[in-house]
Amino acid sequence: MLAEDRVRADTPGCASGAEPGPVFLDSAGSSLPPRVVLDTVVDHLRREAEVGGYRAANERLDDLAAVKSAIGTLINAAPSSIALSDSATRAWADFFYSIPLAEGDRILVSEADYASNAIAALQRARATGATVEKIPSDSTGQLDLDALSALVDERVKLVSVLHAPTNGGLVNPAAEATRIARSVGALVLLDACQSTGQLPIDVAELDVDALSATGRKWLRGPRGTGFLYVRPELAATMEPARLDLHSAEWTAPDEYRLAPDASRFEFWECDVAARLGLGAAVRYLLELGPANVYEAISARAEHLRKALPEIPGVTVRDIGVQHSGIVSFTVDGVDSLAVRDRLAEQNITVTVSRAGSTLLDMTGRGLQSVVRASPHCFVSFEELDRFVAAIAAL
Ligand SMILES: *Cc1c(COP(=O)(O)O)cnc(C)c1O
């Protein structure tokens, strides 16, 4: 069980100085960090101002190394298989643009795939003569495993598996999809941006080749952080599309040597304060007990999934079998942006997910936009009920 009082006391954004107090339902967008994250970042920025960024970073070398250890513990990976990044998209692209592609190669994307992934796939397909194909969804709305089995052949070089989409509660059967993809030798890149921090992630069990995630969403880290996991054999053999003096070493006038592990997917320069903040966020999650946090998120989302459909005119738009902490819905006759703005007047924060972010899925379902409520473990049930009452009053 999660100590809700402790979690709320640890979260400065929960403080209800304002009247009415805040109801924060956007952890799928950019969550509220715990105080330890805020303090870690601010303290490091202060230190940089006192002694300069290089000395400040040198003072924290152990803590910087511990960032990857903490992430490794969370996702069951060796620290050397993790590359720190500044966003999930950058992490995804760092791996994707390094995959050799040629005319006739096939890239498969999930129907729920994220716009940035699809755009990158389309760009590379144009440049190389590869094709991009959609993996259909089954009647429940999740990735169709039978369809995937029928689609794959040895020309498939990459399967982009979207674990949990940005626009709703769907959780795709990632491990099963990975098994199918790998049976023909295709690489699997898992977009775990919306699952990391709210659902169990075990890369050994999932058996993916690579995984991308962001810091600011369910992990409650700072903005401008993210990471890439790369299977150790690949991290030791794959040539990244771009290199610098950290990802490789200039060993002779016309020679360089790649870093031996996943750090070959990193550049040298980074926001050290944000990185330390990401480490603090992951350690905080590990301290609370990830299973406790996941359970608390799920209970809150289920509370909303029960309450919202009871309001006339409200339709919950979540598809699939297993559900994440993202609850998306529409309100008849009220535009999604108007819903968001009217809730904001009452200090209730939700966001709108538009068709362009998940084009295949949204156009497939004839949706222009959905309102997205994504409660983290620090949101009280009383706050959830205030949100539900505000929707009913629309
Ligand atoms: C937010 C999101 C991303 C992108 O994350 P960034 O850190 O903004 O790059 C990728 N995939 C999904 C499913 C997302 O929801």
Side-chain angles (χ1 to χ4, degrees):
M1 269 289 282
L2 195 70
E4 189 188 299
D5 289 352
R6 175 196 161 180
V7 172
R8 287 178 62 79
D10 287 346
T11 306
C14 288
S16 46
E19 250 338 295
V23 178
F24 187 84
L25 300 174
D26 190 25
S27 287
S30 192
S31 190
L32 302 179
R35 183 173 288 104
V36 63
V37 171
L38 181 62
D39 289 348
T40 299
V41 174
V42 172
D43 288 352
H44 193 75
L45 289 176
R46 280 224 173 78
R47 190 61 185 153
E48 286 183 336
E50 285 164 10
V51 300
Y54 285 9
R55 196 172 132 195
N58 281 335
E59 292 169 352
R60 303 296 299 272
L61 290 180
D62 290 347
D63 295 320
L64 282 166
V67 180
K68 289 188 188 180
S69 314
I71 294 170
T73 302
L74 183 71
I75 67 167
N76 191 24
S80 59
S81 63
I82 289 157
L84 298 175
S85 182
D86 52 21
S87 76
T89 301
R90 178 99 52 197
W92 196 95
D94 284 343
F95 185 81
F96 175 70
Y97 281 87
S98 306
I99 300 169
L101 287 176
E103 176 104 37
D105 286 344
R106 302 168 67 204
I107 304 164
L108 304 186
V109 299
S110 304
E111 182 156 29
D113 228 314
Y114 191 64
S116 301
N117 306 349
I119 291 166
L122 292 170
Q123 187 194 27
R124 287 207 73 207
R126 274 183 201 169
T128 61
T131 58
V132 182
E133 295 158 66
K134 175 184 86 173
I135 310 162
S137 302
D138 68 16
S139 59
T140 70
Q142 73 174 15
L143 187 147
D144 189 330
L145 296 168
D146 293 334
L148 177 61
S149 296
L151 265 179
V152 293
D153 63 22
E154 59 296 334
R155 290 175 305 149
V156 176
K157 292 294 179 281
L158 176 81
V159 178
S160 168
V161 178
L162 203 291
H163 203 188
T166 204
N167 66 330
L170 169 70
V171 180
N172 272 324
E176 293 80 353
T178 299
R179 204 172 311 123
I180 295 165
R182 284 173 53 78
S183 72
V184 294
L187 292 172
V188 174
L189 173 50
L190 182 69
D191 181 332
C193 193
Q194 289 293 3
S195 50
T196 305
Q198 68 147 323
L199 296 168
I201 301 280
D202 181 326
V203 291
E205 228 167 73
L206 289 165
D207 204 25
V208 293
D209 295 292
L211 171 155
S212 57
T214 202
R216 70 176 187 277
K217 296 180 180 175
W218 299 96
L219 288 176
R220 306 175 65 196
R223 295 203 62 172
T225 60
F227 68 87
L228 172 70
Y229 157 81
V230 184
R231 179 192 291 283
E233 309 92 271
L234 281 175
T237 54
M238 200 164 165
E239 174 106 14
R242 284 179 300 246
L243 296 173
D244 79 340
L245 81 184
H246 167 87
S247 45
E249 190 186 343
W250 196 11
T251 51
D254 48 8
E255 293 293 334
Y256 64 88
R257 183 168 55 227
L258 294 171
D261 58 21
S263 62
R264 65 176 58 185
F265 287 94
E266 291 172 344
F267 272 7
W268 182 81
E269 174 57 357
C270 69
D271 183 338
V272 174
R275 260 188 201 182
L276 290 168
L278 175 64
V282 177
R283 269 197 309 281
Y284 180 74
L285 172 60
L286 293 171
E287 262 169 49
L288 290 178
N292 295 329
V293 171
Y294 304 159
E295 189 192 334
I297 293 168
S298 170
R300 283 154 179 76
E302 284 316 308
H303 186 78
L304 294 183
R305 282 198 188 92
K306 279 209 192 76
L308 287 173
E310 286 171 14
I311 305 169
V314 173
T315 311
V316 171
R317 298 290 181 176
D318 297 338
I319 52 177
V321 179
Q322 192 198 335
H323 287 142
S324 78
I326 300 176
V327 182
S328 62
F329 61 96
T330 52
V331 183
D332 286 352
V334 191
D335 180 67
S336 298
L337 290 173
V339 174
R340 180 196 66 188
D341 293 345
R342 284 166 70 180
L343 292 174
E345 288 163 12
Q346 300 168 59
N347 207 3
I348 300 171
T349 305
V350 296
T351 39
V352 170
S353 193
R354 297 166 203 255
S357 297
T358 45
L359 191 77
L360 299 176
D361 170 48
M362 292 287 273
T363 50
R365 291 195 278 153
L367 292 168
Q368 290 300 318
S369 66
V370 291
V371 186
R372 183 178 69 177
S374 46
H376 213 300
C377 64
F378 54 75
V379 180
S380 71
F381 285 89
E382 192 190 314
E383 288 170 348
L384 294 179
D385 290 336
R386 248 186 66 207
F387 159 70
V388 172
I391 296 290
L394 292 174

